[in-house]
Amino acid sequence: MVKYAGIGSRETTDEALNTMHQIAKELSSRGWMLRSGNADGADKAFQEGNDGIAEIFLPWDGYNNLSRTCSGVKVGTDLSTYAQAERIASMSHPAWDKCSQGARKLHTRNVFIVLGATLTEPVDCVICWTKDGTASGGTGQAIRLAEFLKIPVFNLYHSDTLTQLEKFVINH
């Protein structure tokens, strides 16, 4: 099964949110599995467009009014691999020592989105939007990890991304 991370800024533009919703619909119709994190903005757009299988990773139970009791929801702090995921997050974050405990949990959640609950099943690609088109904000954590692992990143901020994503989807 092809897996993708559907993530991005809480400040994603309405146009990009609509595009994400449509991408999620198309990819779920092809049997692709969505991984996301239930943040407002991009994450929710992907989740609402997805009609298929999804894994939603929460930094803590009840994050954005979602509970571990919902189907497909995983709470990072409940997973036996949490300490390892947190180490990965700390190595790929430029200022880990300045992050609050809550911020660290949010960044660690992004490791799970990219690598899965066991940290051994990476996504095939990351589809996202960042406000400056770079690996910025919380989404930047997932982008840096994906780039390190040579996982394709499709940042919808850039005008040519949809063409590149379409080619990738056709080949998978």
Side-chain angles (χ1 to χ4, degrees), residues 35-165:
R35 283 201 191 135
S36 199
N38 202 47
D40 291 331
D43 292 19
K44 293 277 181 111
F46 280 110
Q47 289 169 218
E48 290 167 3
N50 182 62
D51 295 325
I53 300 168
E55 290 183 331
I56 308 304
F57 290 93
L58 304 179
W60 53 81
D61 193 32
Y63 174 73
N64 252 356
N65 299 313
L66 195 60
S67 169
R68 67 171 53 99
T69 60
C70 297
S71 176
V73 171
K74 300 175 186 321
V75 179
T77 54
D78 291 351
L79 299 173
S80 63
T81 52
Y82 188 80
Q84 184 180 358
E86 189 175 42
R87 276 193 301 282
I88 294 167
S90 72
M91 292 186 303
S92 58
H93 192 279
W96 187 256
D97 59 323
K98 294 180 179 159
C99 292
S100 68
Q101 191 68 287
R104 288 179 179 197
K105 288 179 181 180
L106 288 163
H107 288 302
T108 301
R109 170 202 56 183
N110 287 323
V111 171
F112 286 118
I113 292 169
V114 173
L115 296 178
T118 62
L119 305 178
T120 60
E121 297 182 51
V123 292
D124 296 280
C125 70
V126 173
I127 305 170
C128 62
W129 186 92
T130 58
K131 63 183 176 180
D132 58 4
T134 68
S136 62
T139 304
Q141 181 77 357
I143 292 172
R144 286 187 296 276
L145 179 58
E147 288 175 342
F148 177 78
L149 297 171
K150 309 251 186 292
I151 296 169
V153 175
F154 300 98
N155 191 330
L156 299 170
Y157 176 89
H158 303 287
S159 59
D160 61 339
T161 298
L162 282 176
T163 303
Q164 294 171 4
L165 177 58

Side-chain angles (χ1 to χ4, degrees), residues 5-17:
I7 56 175
S9 172
R10 288 183 288 273
E11 300 170 34
T12 302
T13 65
D14 288 341
E15 179 182 353
L17 292 173

